[in-house]
């Protein structure tokens, strides 16, 4: 207790020293020294308190210090010059004590409020931004940031000139802290919802400023608010810890900002509204904007998915989700844009699976329905959408492979197939080929090769006659055989004779090998039966290549692995043999078919 009183007395002396040196108008160095001594003392005390396990004694010391500082800065007799001088350093020092407990957090907030109430708002904006951007590692805790973040609304609304420029400079600093904290909310005294409520209060203050502005400044600040709200929407969705129902009020509140910012569900889900906001804020400097607002596409997609999930959210945004879906059903290009936006949800590692499932359901809902409405858009350059579609398909693959819920995996695969089917046939094979060659999952490669085989089967069903190697449909219109081409054999070779050389790794890649063998067998039998050779599979050189470079080395590998595992038979060996049995059956059948063809006369190209 004596030690506590000694420390408190020293604090009082240091505070008194600051008042004396500043009011007396003594030289600058002496005034600066007194403030530096005060801050160093406070930092040493707060550091000691946080570095040891939390106990009532240290928490009481922290609260006593904060109470004394609050009494000092809130005194009506305190000279404004003293308060202004202390405002540059004391808020940060006080925020460190907020980490001690909940009541210390509340007291620290009251102290920071004293500065924001009485000091120049533009100076306080700089102080708060500096304090947010430079905490020590020890104080990267939510309770350190909370009193500082909570002061921004009051500071923002107190600024009278150049509001847009000043808010624009502060928002990235605020978002960096919110992002870091939302991903690391382990402090038992900190409710993640508290942090998000502060974020929403900041949005309210920006909206209040917008209501007072006119013309271009209002338009630009509203756009900045839109970007901020989309970022917070993403953070709230990622930061859910206690279930969707607890966070629904936050999402409803955020959705109420959308209309004010000129954002619509259709514009958000196709990405055009995001582009509009970026153009208003940054113009041609898009990269700079995306570095500050890295999750706006995710937030835009989630805004619509939340509306799809909850009627209350859609109502708050004043949107009709059914009308949005109908619009997407009627436009192929808009559906491609939606797929490109939803990839941000599917690829987000920290997002709850429930929201990913809602995104899959939404995607299925715009791919299903009245098929005649889904006519391809005419005169559209599909190539500009292919990179985004490719990335989206890769993201959906992640859901297919890693979702713990079986039903979600099935729905994700159904969505994957429907997205593939919605792509023009001329581009479809190239996409599947790229996905196969850039996948390191044997099971996923097997799924993709099965998709290729199914596409080839579909082309057969629409074939009614063959003339000079060109497919013709029943109405007389011809179309290229997009999947019945030589590149199919390249896919088979990619698996059976990997680019790095040698036969494939077994049994690790048994799924992919089995799928490649089945695809090769299907192509070989179909071309032989139909007396065609679109893929070139029946060429003597291709038959010889498959036989000597793919099939025989694979047979040697399979037989060697089987012999080794039969020698030391155990549970693991049993699993290896079970994985290789179907591969062996199809492999031997392929060898038989090729041997038969090699004995026949040469097949023309």
């Amino acid at each position: 207790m004596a030690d506590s009183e000694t420390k408190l007395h020293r604090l009082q002396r240091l505070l008194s020293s600051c008042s004396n040196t500043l009011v007396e108008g003594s030289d600058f160095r002496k005034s600066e020294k007194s403030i530096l001594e005060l801050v160093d003392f406070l930092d040493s005390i707060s550091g000691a308190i946080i570095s040891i396990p939390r106990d009532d004694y240290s928490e009481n010391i922290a609260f006593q210090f904060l109470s004394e500082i609050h009494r000092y800065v809130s005194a009506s007799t305190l000279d404004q010059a003293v308060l202004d001088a202390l405002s540059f350093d004391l808020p940060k020092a006080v925020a460190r004590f907020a980490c001690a407990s909940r009541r210390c957090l509340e007291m620290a907030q009251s102290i920071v409020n004293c500065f924001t109430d009485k000091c120049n708002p533009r100076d306080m904006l700089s102080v708060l931004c500096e304090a947010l951007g430079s905490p020590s590692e020890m104080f990267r805790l939510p309770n350190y940031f909370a009193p500082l973040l909570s002061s921004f609304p009051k500071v923002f609304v107190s600024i009278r000139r150049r509001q847009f420029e000043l808010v624009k400079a502060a928002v990235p600093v605020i978002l960096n802290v919110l992002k870091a904290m939302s991903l690391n909310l382990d402090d038992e005294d900190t409710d993640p919802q508290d942090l998000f409520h502060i974020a929403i209060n900041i949005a309210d203050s920006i909206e209040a400023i917008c209501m007072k502005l006119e013309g271009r400044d209002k338009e630009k600040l509203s756009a900045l608010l839109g970007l901020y709200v989309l970022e917070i929407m993403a953070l709230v969705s990622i930061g859910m810890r206690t279930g969707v129902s607890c966070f629904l009020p936050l999402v409803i509140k955020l959705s109420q900002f959308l209309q004010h910012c000129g954002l619509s569900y259709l514009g958000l889900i196709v990405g055009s509204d995001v582009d509009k906001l970026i153009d208003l804020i940054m113009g041609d400097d898009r990269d700079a904007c995306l570095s500050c607002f890295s999750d706006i596409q995710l937030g835009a997609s989630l805004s619509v998915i939340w509306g799809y999930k909850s009627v209350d959210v859609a109502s708050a945004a004043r949107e009709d989700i059914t009308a949005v879906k109908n619009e997407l059903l009627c436009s192929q290009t808009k559906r491609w844009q939606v797929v490109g936006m939803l990839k941000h949800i599917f690829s987000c590692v920290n997002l709850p699976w429930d929201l990913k499932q809602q995104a899959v359901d939404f995607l299925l809902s715009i791919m299903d329905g009245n098929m005649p409405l889904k006519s391809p858009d005419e005169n559209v350059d599909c190539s500009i959408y292919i990179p985004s579609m490719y990335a989206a398909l890769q993201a959906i693959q992640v859901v297919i492979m890693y979702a713990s819920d079986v039903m979600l995996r099935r729905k994700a695969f159904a969505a994957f197939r429907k997205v593939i089917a919605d792509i023009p046939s001329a581009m479809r094979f190239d996409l599947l080929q790229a996905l196969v060659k850039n996948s390191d999952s044997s099971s996923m490669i097997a799924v993709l090769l099965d998709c290729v085989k199914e596409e080839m089967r579909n082309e057969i069903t629409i074939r009614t006659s063959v003339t000079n190697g060109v497919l013709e449909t029943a109405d007389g219109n011809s179309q290229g055989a997009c999947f019945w081409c030589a590149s199919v054999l390249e896919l088979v070779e990619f698996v059976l004779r990997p680019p790095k050389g040698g036969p494939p790794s077994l049994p690790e890649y048994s799924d992919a090998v089995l799928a490649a063998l089945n695809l090769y067998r299907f192509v070989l039998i179909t071309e032989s039966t139909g007396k065609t050779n679109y893929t070139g599979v029946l060429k003597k050189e291709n038959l010889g290549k498959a036989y000597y470079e793919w099939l025989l080395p694979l047979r040697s590998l399979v037989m060697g692995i089987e012999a080794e595992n039969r020698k030391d038979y155990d549970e693991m060996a049993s699993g290896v043999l079970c994985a290789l049995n179907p591969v062996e059956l199809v492999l031997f059948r392929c060898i038989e078919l090729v041997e038969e063809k090699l004995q026949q006369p040469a097949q023309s190209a």
Side-chain angles (χ1 to χ4, degrees):
M1 181 63 70
D3 181 57
S4 171
E5 291 178 354
T6 301
K7 292 176 180 177
L8 192 60
H9 287 152
R10 186 182 177 191
L11 172 63
Q12 292 169 344
R13 289 196 302 272
L14 289 171
L15 290 171
S16 178
S17 174
C18 288
S19 295
N20 292 336
T21 56
L22 288 164
V23 172
E24 290 172 0
S26 56
D27 64 84
F28 174 78
R29 290 182 180 180
K30 189 173 182 180
S31 301
E32 188 179 51
K33 181 181 178 182
S34 63
I35 294 176
L36 183 61
E37 288 180 358
L38 171 63
V39 172
D40 286 344
F41 175 63
L42 291 175
D43 287 351
S44 67
I45 299 298
S46 61
I49 289 173
I50 298 301
S51 64
I52 61 177
R54 184 173 298 179
D55 57 29
D56 292 340
Y57 174 72
S58 60
E59 193 274 342
N60 282 330
I61 291 178
F63 188 74
Q64 288 176 10
F65 267 57
L66 290 173
S67 298
E68 182 62 29
I69 295 171
H70 183 262
R71 182 195 63 76
Y72 175 80
V73 299
S74 61
S76 59
T77 56
L78 184 64
D79 191 276
Q80 184 64 42
V82 177
L83 197 65
D84 289 340
L86 292 174
S87 68
F88 290 98
D89 298 289
L90 210 53
K92 180 178 177 180
V94 164
R96 290 159 60 100
F97 284 91
C99 301
S101 69
R102 185 75 180 186
R103 68 170 182 162
C104 288
L105 167 62
E106 294 171 354
M107 183 60 74
Q109 180 65 73
S110 297
I111 296 171
V112 178
N113 284 344
C114 288
F115 287 106
T116 55
D117 286 339
K118 300 177 181 180
C119 297
N120 184 289
R122 298 176 70 149
D123 290 340
M124 286 306 303
L125 188 63
S126 299
V127 168
L128 294 173
C129 288
E130 191 279 332
L132 289 181
S134 60
S136 66
E137 287 298 324
M138 185 185 300
F139 290 92
R140 291 189 179 275
L141 300 171
N143 279 7
Y144 168 82
F145 294 106
L148 301 171
L149 288 170
S150 297
S151 299
F152 276 95
K154 187 175 295 185
V155 171
F156 279 162
V157 297
S158 299
I159 296 172
R160 293 291 175 262
R161 293 185 301 108
R162 299 183 61 205
Q163 292 96 330
F164 170 72
E165 289 81 359
L166 293 172
V167 174
K168 179 185 173 184
V171 162
V173 179
I174 295 170
L175 287 174
N176 285 339
V177 171
L178 291 173
K179 289 177 183 179
M181 293 302 99
S182 64
L183 294 175
N184 188 30
L185 287 172
D186 298 325
D187 192 324
E188 62 183 11
D189 289 331
T190 303
D191 186 341
Q193 294 184 64
D194 290 347
L195 199 62
F196 296 132
H197 279 299
I198 294 172
I200 291 175
N201 289 339
I202 293 173
D204 281 328
S205 68
I206 299 175
E207 184 180 42
I209 299 172
C210 290
M211 300 298 289
K212 299 177 182 179
L213 297 179
E214 295 179 354
R216 186 67 173 172
D217 285 345
K218 180 174 184 176
E219 187 180 15
K220 291 169 66 176
L221 189 57
S222 293
L224 180 62
L225 174 60
L227 293 175
Y228 176 80
V229 166
L230 295 181
E231 286 282 324
I232 301 303
M233 183 71 78
L235 295 180
V236 168
S237 302
I238 291 171
M240 290 194 303
R241 298 286 191 274
T242 55
V244 172
S245 60
C246 297
F247 284 76
L248 196 58
L250 293 169
V251 175
I252 289 174
K253 176 59 180 174
L254 288 170
S255 298
Q256 292 172 350
F257 291 104
L258 298 180
Q259 189 177 62
H260 171 85
C261 300
L263 304 175
S264 69
Y265 273 2
L266 183 61
L268 288 170
I269 201 61
V270 302
S272 59
D273 277 0
V274 173
D275 292 334
K276 179 180 68 176
L277 296 180
I278 293 174
D279 289 341
L280 278 169
I281 299 300
M282 294 293 185
D284 295 331
D285 197 2
R286 184 182 180 89
D287 291 340
C289 187
L290 291 177
S291 66
C292 297
F293 303 97
S294 57
D295 293 319
I296 46 176
Q297 287 94 344
L298 175 62
S301 303
L302 286 167
S303 297
V304 180
I305 295 306
W306 274 106
Y308 173 75
K309 175 182 176 63
S310 168
V311 174
D312 292 336
V313 173
S315 178
R318 298 183 183 180
E319 289 282 354
D320 182 351
I321 197 71
T322 301
V324 174
K325 291 193 296 182
N326 289 338
E327 177 77 14
L328 297 174
L329 280 167
C330 297
S331 173
Q332 189 178 39
T333 55
K334 283 186 172 67
R335 289 196 300 275
W336 295 339
Q337 291 169 333
V338 170
V339 172
M341 287 295 290
L342 290 179
K343 73 175 181 285
H344 299 286
I345 293 180
F346 298 136
S347 62
C348 183
V349 176
N350 298 306
L351 199 66
W353 284 106
D354 177 64
L355 290 174
K356 294 187 179 185
Q357 178 168 326
Q358 295 294 328
V360 169
D361 288 343
F362 180 80
L363 184 55
L364 286 171
S365 74
I366 64 172
M367 294 293 175
D368 290 330
N370 190 350
M371 294 301 291
L373 291 176
K374 293 174 58 182
S375 59
D377 294 340
E378 297 181 358
N379 302 320
V380 174
D381 182 9
C382 176
S383 62
I384 63 175
Y385 299 103
I386 291 302
S388 181
M389 297 283 281
Y390 172 74
L393 289 168
Q394 283 189 313
I396 297 174
Q397 284 182 145
V398 174
V399 181
I400 296 171
M401 290 189 291
Y402 297 111
S404 59
D405 183 73
V406 175
M407 186 57 66
L408 175 54
R409 293 200 300 270
R410 290 176 179 171
K411 286 183 176 181
F413 180 65
F416 182 90
R417 293 302 304 270
K418 287 182 180 294
V419 171
I420 288 289
D422 205 39
I423 297 170
S425 56
M427 302 284 187
R428 208 175 297 159
F429 179 81
D430 292 338
L431 267 179
L432 285 171
Q433 185 180 44
L435 289 168
V436 169
K437 291 186 175 182
N438 288 283
S439 176
D440 57 4
S441 166
S442 172
S443 298
M444 198 64 234
I445 291 174
V447 168
L448 293 168
L449 292 179
D450 286 342
C451 289
V452 172
K453 186 170 71 173
E454 188 62 29
E455 291 289 341
M456 298 180 77
R457 199 187 306 276
N458 290 338
E459 283 189 356
I460 293 175
T461 63
I462 65 170
R463 185 187 305 161
T464 57
S465 64
V466 180
T467 305
N468 297 325
V470 176
L471 299 182
E472 288 189 353
T473 56
D475 60 5
N477 296 322
S478 63
Q479 65 177 44
C482 299
F483 281 79
W484 288 93
C485 60
S487 296
V488 169
L489 297 183
E490 294 178 11
L491 284 181
V492 175
E493 182 178 32
F494 177 80
V495 176
L496 300 186
R497 190 170 182 264
K500 293 183 179 180
S505 178
L506 291 176
E508 293 86 351
Y509 273 78
S510 58
D511 288 344
V513 169
L514 180 59
L517 289 170
N518 273 320
L519 177 59
Y520 182 75
R521 180 179 61 172
F522 168 74
V523 172
L524 188 58
I525 291 175
T526 304
E527 296 273 41
S528 299
T529 304
K531 299 187 182 339
T532 59
N533 197 20
Y534 299 116
T535 61
V537 69
L538 298 178
K539 288 182 179 181
K540 284 293 184 181
E541 58 266 35
N542 286 338
L543 287 169
K545 181 178 182 180
Y547 188 71
Y548 292 107
E549 297 182 13
W550 306 350
L551 302 179
L552 292 186
L554 185 59
R555 182 178 67 179
S556 298
L557 175 64
V558 170
M559 294 178 67
I561 294 174
E562 286 185 340
E564 185 67 28
N565 281 274
R566 286 197 176 97
K567 184 191 306 180
D568 301 317
Y569 193 80
D570 56 18
E571 186 175 345
M572 181 178 294
S574 175
V576 171
L577 293 174
C578 287
L580 291 182
N581 280 343
V583 171
E584 183 178 21
L585 290 173
V586 181
L587 171 61
F588 284 6
R589 179 56 180 152
C590 287
I591 290 174
E592 291 173 0
L593 290 171
V594 173
E595 287 175 343
E596 291 175 6
K597 292 298 175 185
L598 286 172
Q599 294 171 9
Q600 296 175 0
Q603 171 73 49
S604 60

